Amino acid sequence: MPVEVIMPKLGMAMKEGTVSQWNKTEGEAVKKGDPIASISSEKIEMEIESPADGSVLKINVPEGKGVPPGTVICYIGNPDEEVAATAAPVQEEKGQKEEIQAAHPAPPPKKPGKARVKISPVARKMAEVSGIKPEDIIGTGPGGRITKEDVEQAIASAKESRKQDIPVQAVAEEPQRIPVSGMRKVIAERMHLSLQSAAQLTITMKADVTELLALQTQVKETIAKRYGSKLTITDFVARAAILALENHPEMNSAFMDNTIVTYLEIHLGIATAVEKGLVVPVIRHAESKSLIDLAKEIKEKAAAARAGKLPADEMQGSTFTISSLGASGVEFFTPILNPPEAGILGVGAVSDEAVFIGDKIEKRSRLPLSLTFDHRVLDGAPAAAFLQTVKQYLEEPVTMLL
């Protein structure tokens, strides 16, 4: 009997998964462990590996088609095995199948003995768009796998070669076009929806974190020895935001169905950059955690998210979000709300500034803060009061340890 490969459930809330790209062609032989397809859900992208050896791959779900978890996306077996009787392929809408076949005819099976090029899905897509054959690229990844960087290098080399061969009067090259799909598509849709569905306003303020940085240095060795961790600026900002949300619960709210919903618990989202976009790991019941526990969980979940191992359920249900661009040297910016939340706090890069303290000028470390809030939920004055409270906690860091 042929082996069924199903669409996995990448989280309790997952309702649909999409085959972003097939790495093997119809009728091709596969070996156990081969990456046969790339799939994506709302917040996760991953590769599906073949669970068994087989001389024939039968594709059941076309690229770009969304299907529920548990759906058979392909079969792996032998030519004499009947897979059609096991389950019918996912049907496209009327007329769509013919259009897809006309626009993307199935490539012929590879000749026996011809080695399969090992290449990541992103790299393959870039190579196709740029007109570069994967066979002409030298892979530097594990086992000779072609990476995104290898394709970029090949594109740069091809451009340089063309510059030497083409006259100065030649027509400009066609721009690179990469279809938006997977996580990037979800982010684009959500950000657009956020701006369309909320009355967003951003206010800014700077906090003097001179004493906070001194405290961070003072406890660094003790924290490392006792807890095997360290405290970052983001950890302190997260703690300050949690305390401020307890003082200003209207910021821990959402606007839904013409109703303002104020949450009793604080589920803090920490925006985290990953290879293919942005995800928001959630620290649940953050109000009940100490500064050390908060710092540990932030680091653990961020690391799991970057490795693609954080479950989708751990990236949903936040009531307030923090986004930091300080590591990139950005000061103030306009963070976009994470729907349906009423607030998101942007954190910039610390800079040394000359500040008047009484009649004297001193060098002080200042942290830019950018608060975007939903004006349907609260007005400028209470939003400013919340941001002022965050600032106060950061400027009096000992109060966050009590």
Side-chain angles (χ1 to χ4, degrees):
M1 292 292 292
V3 176
E4 298 180 347
V5 181
I6 66 170
M7 175 66 69
K9 191 173 182 65
L10 304 179
M12 293 299 295
M14 177 181 169
K15 296 181 180 179
E16 184 178 274
T18 301
V19 178
S20 305
Q21 180 175 341
W22 284 104
N23 301 329
K24 298 286 186 177
T25 58
E26 179 84 8
E28 185 176 352
V30 296
K31 291 184 178 181
K32 184 177 181 180
D34 281 353
I36 56 177
S38 297
I39 63 169
S40 63
S41 68
E42 189 174 279
K43 294 190 176 185
I44 294 179
E45 288 197 10
M46 64 177 290
E47 285 189 338
I48 292 288
E49 295 182 352
S50 173
D53 293 338
S55 58
V56 172
L57 173 71
K58 174 65 177 178
I59 294 176
N60 198 50
V61 176
E63 287 185 1
K65 183 72 176 180
V67 294
T71 302
V72 178
I73 62 173
C74 71
Y75 301 91
I76 297 171
N78 298 313
D80 57 343
E81 292 178 321
E82 182 62 43
V83 298
T86 307
V90 174
Q91 297 296 320
E92 295 86 357
E93 295 180 3
K94 186 177 180 180
Q96 183 180 359
K97 183 175 181 180
E98 290 78 4
E99 293 177 5
I100 293 175
Q101 290 176 342
H104 304 285
K110 292 185 173 292
K111 295 180 180 179
K114 187 175 181 179
R116 174 77 181 182
V117 177
K118 295 181 179 179
I119 182 170
S120 71
V122 174
R124 181 181 296 278
K125 185 70 69 175
M126 289 177 61
E128 290 176 356
V129 172
S130 303
I132 298 177
K133 296 180 179 180
E135 294 81 1
D136 297 335
I137 303 174
I138 298 176
T140 61
R145 185 179 177 85
I146 298 172
T147 66
K148 173 184 175 183
E149 290 73 20
D150 296 330
V151 178
E152 289 175 342
Q153 181 61 43
I155 293 172
S157 299
K159 286 183 177 180
E160 187 62 31
S161 177
R162 285 195 292 269
K163 285 180 181 179
Q164 296 175 0
D165 298 338
I166 300 176
V168 178
Q169 297 83 1
V171 178
E173 297 176 3
E174 281 293 317
Q176 184 181 18
R177 301 178 187 276
I178 300 177
V180 178
S181 62
M183 185 183 296
R184 185 74 261 159
K185 183 178 181 181
V186 172
I187 292 174
E189 291 173 348
R190 287 202 162 192
M191 293 299 97
H192 189 222
L193 176 62
S194 175
L195 290 172
Q196 286 184 316
S197 61
Q200 303 193 30
L201 178 66
T202 302
I203 57 177
T204 62
M205 194 176 291
K206 280 191 175 183
D208 188 331
V209 292
T210 308
E211 276 72 29
L212 187 151
L213 295 178
L215 176 64
Q216 182 187 31
T217 301
Q218 181 181 348
V219 301
K220 179 179 179 180
E221 187 175 342
T222 301
I223 296 297
K225 287 182 178 179
R226 184 171 298 181
Y227 303 103
S229 184
K230 65 177 182 178
L231 296 175
T232 67
I233 290 292
T234 299
D235 300 331
F236 282 105
V237 172
R239 178 62 175 162
I242 292 165
L243 294 172
L245 287 170
E246 290 183 313
N247 293 332
H248 305 273
E250 65 272 21
M251 185 59 71
N252 194 47
S253 302
F255 190 92
M256 295 185 290
D257 299 325
N258 290 321
T259 303
I260 297 175
V261 179
T262 301
Y263 300 104
L264 300 180
E265 300 86 12
I266 298 172
H267 302 317
L268 187 66
I270 303 294
T272 304
V274 295
E275 181 182 357
K276 297 182 180 180
L278 186 74
V279 296
V280 184
V282 180
I283 311 301
R284 303 196 184 280
H285 302 285
E287 75 281 359
S288 65
K289 301 181 186 299
S290 67
L291 178 60
I292 294 298
D293 292 337
L294 183 67
K296 282 186 173 182
E297 190 167 345
I298 288 174
K299 292 174 183 60
E300 289 171 357
K301 289 195 171 180
R306 294 189 184 100
K309 297 180 179 180
L310 188 65
D313 291 347
E314 295 296 321
M315 295 181 281
Q316 299 177 29
S318 56
T319 60
F320 185 86
T321 297
I322 292 176
S323 178
S324 177
L325 290 177
S328 300
V330 175
E331 290 191 343
F332 292 109
F333 61 103
T334 305
I336 299 176
L337 289 176
N338 185 18
E341 297 168 21
I344 180 171
L345 181 63
V347 184
V350 176
S351 61
D352 291 332
E353 300 177 3
V355 179
F356 273 102
I357 306 295
D359 294 332
K360 297 181 180 180
I361 297 179
E362 295 184 13
K363 185 177 78 170
R364 309 291 292 182
S365 298
R366 307 250 281 170
L367 178 68
L369 301 172
S370 305
L371 174 69
T372 296
F373 63 96
D374 191 340
H375 219 312
R376 299 174 302 171
V377 176
L378 68 168
D379 297 323
F386 166 80
L387 191 55
Q388 182 64 43
T389 302
V390 173
K391 176 178 182 289
Q392 182 179 344
Y393 277 116
L394 292 174
E395 292 183 342
E396 301 173 5
V398 174
T399 60
M400 290 189 283
L401 304 179
L402 300 178

